[in-house]
Amino acid sequence: QFPFPEEMAEMVNMRWLKLDSCNLDEIPDFLKNFKKLERISVCKNQLKDLGSELPQLKDLRVVSARQNQITTLGLPGELFELEELTTVDLSHNDISEVPHTLGIAKQLLVLSLNHNRITTIPGQIFVNLADLFYLDISDNKLELIPPQLRRLINLQTLDISNNPLGHSHLRQLASLTSLHTLNMRNTQRRNDNLHNGLQNLIFLQDLDLSFNELEHVPEPLLSIGTLRRCNISYNNLVELPSSFGSWTNLEVLNLSRNNLKSLPSGIDNLVKLKKLFINGNEITFDGLPDTFSKLTELEAFVASHNKLEAVPVSLFRCSKLKKLILSFNCLITLPEGIYYLPDLETLEVKGNPELKMPPKPDSASRKKAEFYNVDFSLAHQLELIGATPKSVHKSDSFKDHNARKMRILNRRAKPDEGSNKILKALADIPKDKVDKEVTTPDDEEVTFIKPRSWMDQISRPAVDYSDIYLADTGQEEGITVWQIENFLPVQVEEILHGKFYDADCYIVLKTFYNDYDSLDWEIYFWIGKYSTLDKMACSAIHAVNLRNLLGAQCRTVREEMEDESEEFLAVFNHDIDYIEGGTASGFFTIEDMYISKLKSDFSDKVDVSTSSLDPERTFMLDYGKKIFIWHGAKAPATHISKARLFAVKLNKSDKKGKAELEIIEEGDETEEFWSAIGGRSSDEIEIDPHERDSQPFIQVLYTVKLGKGYLELPQVKYKRKMERSVLDTKDVYILDCFSDVFVWIGRQSSRLIRAAALKLVNSLLDLLSRPDFVTATRVLEGAETLVFKNKFSEWDDVLTSDYTKLKPSSSTTNVKDSKPKLNKDIFESETKESLKTDLSCLFTGRQKHMSDKDAEQLMEDYNDELDYMQCFVLEGKKFVKLPESEIGHFYDGDCYVFLCRYWVPKDTDEDDIEEKEGNDEEDAYESVYAVYFWQGRFATNMGWLTFTFSLQKKFETLLGKLEITRVSQQQEPYRFLSHFKKKFVIHHGQRLIRRQTINNEPSLYQVRANGCILTRRIIELQPKARRLNTEFCFFVIVPASDTSDEAEEEESSGIIYIWIGSKFPEEQALGIDELAEFLIRNENYETVLVHEGSESEEFWTALGGKAKYDQNDLVDDDAFILDTGHEVFVWVGDQASEIEIKLSLKSAQLYLQNLRDRKAMP
């Protein structure tokens, strides 16, 4: 539930309020103060009751609460006592009984109770509802309608559809003389239980009797001359009465899906008829009258799925005809009049295998048809002049049907070359005249046919889909689902409809009958959250193929997991389930594995075995979707930075960012690392003296040239390092790096040299002395791998980075659950040649020491200004509300958003202060909304982009102006930290992954504060004894599986050790046990207090064994600047890089210059 701004509680004069789709589970309490509210809408929520707030609103007129979960007990009786209440919409809920108090609402005009579970309606409620003019009780479980319904003499619309009313004769309907609309769809109506009093409904205009059991049209209905729309489809009608033409005002008539074999001649009296549906019957050509020409207003004629051999010519004299559906009949031909319908938009004649279209008329025949629509019958001409014919017999027997069929067949000419193209014949009417003489404007021909749309002009390829879809696909109503497997759609069983695997893609086809009672389709392709690229592409492609197969005009709609549209959810009645997993990808994947030994400027490939490891070096192991960096115990710390940068570049350029990086120190190897390298070494890793004294191999670059009958390999000369410019796009080169051999192929090189170079390399490897693990790699110009680029000087088009920002901290060198990635701010534009370093901290004022008392006071002041705080965390592609129990717990792989509302003093001038002294204190304050975006150290920038493009816009729409602060991990401002009251925990990894993974391994947390107690944080470290520090406090959490048997017998969740260093301040130890409870989230852990020097064996076992731990804050691979107030010291570690040494000295000089400038200022 999204929090409502508190300003809403102050809008007491509000009259209309719409709270649809707000995820409400209860009516907001502040609504009782809206005394002037007239309309309220709370549709599409999770409400189970309407609460006690609404009955207190005396001016309330309209209540709309459809599509909730409201029950009978959730309807307050006092609501219907409101004197102004006129409209109540409680449709699509869970109401089983109508409350008796509903009859109190005497002023009620509109009542909607459809789509509930109502079984009975008390008759008393209709006694006082005399003014009701709209009543909808459809889609319930009613078996009887109370007789008091006859009291509703002003009722104009009544809908009782989809109720089991088979035993009810509905005699009450005869008293509802004001009815305009009556819907009795699927109410088990038969001719014996349909009351004769319906003829009293003299104002009835709309009547729906579809999906019933009528065998003939009830006589009382034929006397209702006001009917405009009548639906008697899906019944058992066999014939229509001769008095059928009494509905002279009828505009829409639906007789589909019955057992009719003919239409009466009286149908020509329906002179206002616009739409006629007779599909799904047994009507033949003999069963159609030849008087359709009198239906001058006819726009749609739908007669599919019948037994028509031909169509009367009179039908094509209806000049306003727009839609003609004749699919799935027995048609042989059509009259030539098909070409003279000026407004015809849709013609469907599929499913008629013997149909041959008539020849296209020439200009001469069109001239003769100039007065084609004139009625030359004797009766009509005599009527025009006012004379009365002696005898005019209206009978169906005036024509010889067999002779008429023969005339139509004999009149057909020989088909031309394009006669088999049905739709094309409608538009391709020749524009040239037979005679080429100059004619007067009066003789110019008039073109009635409208131009084709651009879609009709596209020539579709003849593609055979018989191997993909069945022949009867989309020919019956219902839902069909396909799952993509190995590039092809596989049909899913009906019992599994609505259940989707999150790693798969699906195609969903919905087949239904449209308003014209012809087949129509909706096509969706659903994309799983973890589906592969081949499944995504194939689902889209086969969805388009399905549309082409059906000839559908609809769009193929893309639906993504967790972001489905309402239309797609409605296909499955809003009941879909996600299942973890899916089928395998159709692509074959190949994972390469090699290990690289990093030196100063290049990397050499070595054997993948433990014997290749050297404590004085750093290695990178590429293991498919995981990249390991192994740092030897005696290797320089700068190697980690370079190896990390190389691994990040490799992941970005060669692996599309899908690999996971893990940094491992010697002695902290995981089982996954040993398995990847070939097994754990039984001997201790030692320095190879031969390797240390050996000289590095000098790489050689050769050009492959074609000589006179043989190949030439001239060596390319370069000065110190090879540059990218030595490679020519017209040549092929071989780069020999001893353990790696590359064949670089230029785009414009000849094919003969390419093939010869590849064969030559394989032959050379057999002749030269090379290790067994050497490989020959083919490299194309423009698609070079990072390893190949690394052999050249200044070939780095992946990313440019500042080496000083790549060094990981000592607390994050081995993060198993997280995915370390570089922050965006370390990347710089390629157009900038010089590196830049952030030195802004050197110019900030010296931070003053803050006592614990002052820190507590500052925290109290900040929290006094805070009105409320809402917390959100990024899950997938959306921000969701963070549970209350997790506030204060952060993960360094996630992003968080905190929406805060503050009450701060208004900015006023001194002249205005005196005027406002007598006012209330509230007038001197104003509310300010602030948003803090917290980003973990290893979180990607997608969180910030998602916030700025989605959540930020929602906040600004609801709340107006915002103060947005982007906060990085462990750089939080005092104001933000104060809201967590010294309880700020930073875990490793990502929240969802850590919660879903059962981890029985011990974990280590450090309690640390910088400057004052307000900045106290609990930070997770690698669970190793060497991480301890004598000046801090640590928590060691050991789950139950790793504890003693006694702890298990007591059903304890585990043990948490509170380790206090000997130099840890005593005043900071106060409340440390409360901090431990917050860390374990009040679970049943046994707390053990351990002082430095009194550790037990179980304690050291949890940390991997006792070891010497660091006792100082100075790291030997960093540089520090210390200002004592009198002197400035620059401390440089013995393993710091040259860049860090130079930057630290230059920064110290800049710092001193800034101090001198400050003192020189007056």
Side-chain angles (χ1 to χ4, degrees), residues 350 454-455 458 460-461 463 465 468-469 473-475 482 489 507-511 519-525 538-558:
K350 62 182 179 181
W454 65 272
M455 293 184 64
I458 297 177
R460 295 179 174 84
V463 182
Y465 302 115
I468 302 177
Y469 298 108
T473 299
Q475 302 304 318
W482 292 270
I507 299 175
V508 178
L509 171 66
K510 177 183 178 181
T511 307
L519 285 176
D520 206 344
W521 302 274
E522 293 179 2
I523 302 175
Y524 306 88
F525 60 99
C538 290
S539 62
I541 293 171
H542 291 303
V544 175
N545 292 343
L546 177 61
R547 184 185 65 181
N548 295 338
L549 173 66
L550 300 174
Q553 298 294 326
C554 63
R555 295 170 51 248
T556 56
V557 183
R558 176 187 174 101

Side-chain angles (χ1 to χ4, degrees), residues 162-173:
N162 300 316
N163 281 291
L165 298 171
H167 299 289
S168 178
H169 288 263
L170 302 179
R171 296 184 177 88
Q172 309 91 318
L173 300 181

Side-chain angles (χ1 to χ4, degrees), residues 595-599 602-606 617-619 691:
I595 185 168
S596 300
K597 182 171 61 177
L598 302 183
K599 294 186 179 179
F602 57 92
S603 59
D604 292 335
K605 189 174 181 180
V606 297
R617 304 189 186 280
T618 300
F619 296 83
E691 178 69 18

Side-chain angles (χ1 to χ4, degrees), residues 190-375:
R190 302 182 302 274
N191 289 94
D192 59 349
N193 65 5
L194 193 63
H195 188 55
N196 295 330
L198 293 181
Q199 60 188 0
N200 297 333
L201 308 180
I202 57 176
F203 297 107
L204 192 64
Q205 296 182 1
D206 293 352
L207 177 63
D208 189 353
L209 284 170
S210 59
F211 292 91
N212 283 291
E213 303 172 13
L214 298 176
E215 296 181 355
H216 56 81
V217 179
E219 287 294 334
L221 297 181
L222 298 175
S223 61
I224 305 176
T226 56
L227 270 183
R228 293 187 178 180
R229 287 168 289 275
C230 182
N231 186 357
I232 323 179
S233 60
Y234 290 90
N235 278 276
N236 300 323
L237 300 180
V238 177
E239 61 178 357
L240 298 177
S242 57
S243 58
F244 187 69
S246 59
W247 290 336
T248 55
N249 292 312
L250 198 65
E251 297 179 359
V252 180
L253 177 61
N254 193 343
L255 299 171
S256 305
R257 308 295 171 181
N258 283 284
N259 300 320
L260 297 175
K261 296 183 179 180
S262 63
L263 295 180
S265 58
I267 196 173
D268 58 359
N269 292 330
L270 308 181
V271 292
K272 294 185 179 180
L273 191 64
K274 294 182 178 180
K275 298 178 181 180
L276 177 61
F277 303 90
I278 57 173
N279 49 302
N281 286 282
E282 300 177 4
I283 300 176
T284 61
F285 173 76
D286 296 335
L288 292 179
D290 196 24
T291 56
F292 280 106
S293 59
K294 295 185 178 181
L295 304 180
T296 56
E297 301 296 326
L298 191 64
E299 297 179 357
F301 182 78
V302 181
S304 60
H305 293 86
N306 279 284
K307 299 180 180 180
L308 295 175
E309 308 95 336
V311 182
V313 178
S314 61
L315 178 64
F316 299 94
R317 297 175 182 172
C318 301
S319 58
K320 295 184 178 181
L321 198 63
K322 295 181 179 180
K323 190 163 190 173
L324 182 59
I325 309 297
L326 301 172
S327 305
F328 299 99
N329 279 281
C330 304
L331 293 177
I332 300 175
T333 186
L334 291 176
E336 292 182 2
I338 189 69
Y339 298 110
Y340 296 95
L341 294 175
D343 295 331
L344 189 62
E345 297 176 354
T346 302
L347 173 64
E348 291 188 11
V349 290
K350 62 182 179 181
N352 294 281
E354 299 181 2
L355 176 65
K356 296 292 182 64
M357 293 296 293
K360 294 176 289 186
D362 54 14
S363 302
S365 63
R366 294 186 63 180
K367 285 184 178 181
K368 295 177 181 179
E370 183 176 357
F371 303 99
Y372 188 85
N373 290 324
V374 177
D375 189 357

Side-chain angles (χ1 to χ4, degrees), residues 479-484 492 495-509 524-530 559-562 564 568-569 571-583:
I479 309 298
T480 311
V481 182
W482 292 270
Q483 182 181 8
I484 302 299
V492 178
I495 194 174
L496 297 177
H497 287 184
K499 297 175 174 59
F500 300 97
Y501 285 92
D502 58 5
D504 277 335
C505 294
Y506 295 82
I507 299 175
V508 178
L509 171 66
Y524 306 88
F525 60 99
W526 185 89
I527 306 297
K529 186 176 182 180
Y530 304 104
E559 301 286 344
E560 294 188 5
M561 179 177 171
E562 299 177 352
E564 294 86 353
F568 180 80
L569 295 176
V571 174
F572 302 98
N573 296 322
H574 290 75
D575 184 17
I576 63 175
D577 298 321
Y578 301 136
I579 306 175
E580 185 177 356
T583 59

Side-chain angles (χ1 to χ4, degrees), residues 336 412 447 634 650 663 859:
E336 292 182 2
R412 289 173 45 204
T447 303
K634 298 181 180 181
L650 180 68
I663 302 175
M859 181 176 64

Side-chain angles (χ1 to χ4, degrees), residues 39-58:
R39 293 172 177 262
I40 183 172
S41 177
V42 289
C43 305
K44 298 181 181 180
N45 287 289
Q46 285 82 42
L47 297 175
K48 294 185 178 180
D49 60 77
L50 292 179
S52 59
E53 293 81 7
L54 298 185
Q56 302 180 32
L57 309 178
K58 302 302 181 182

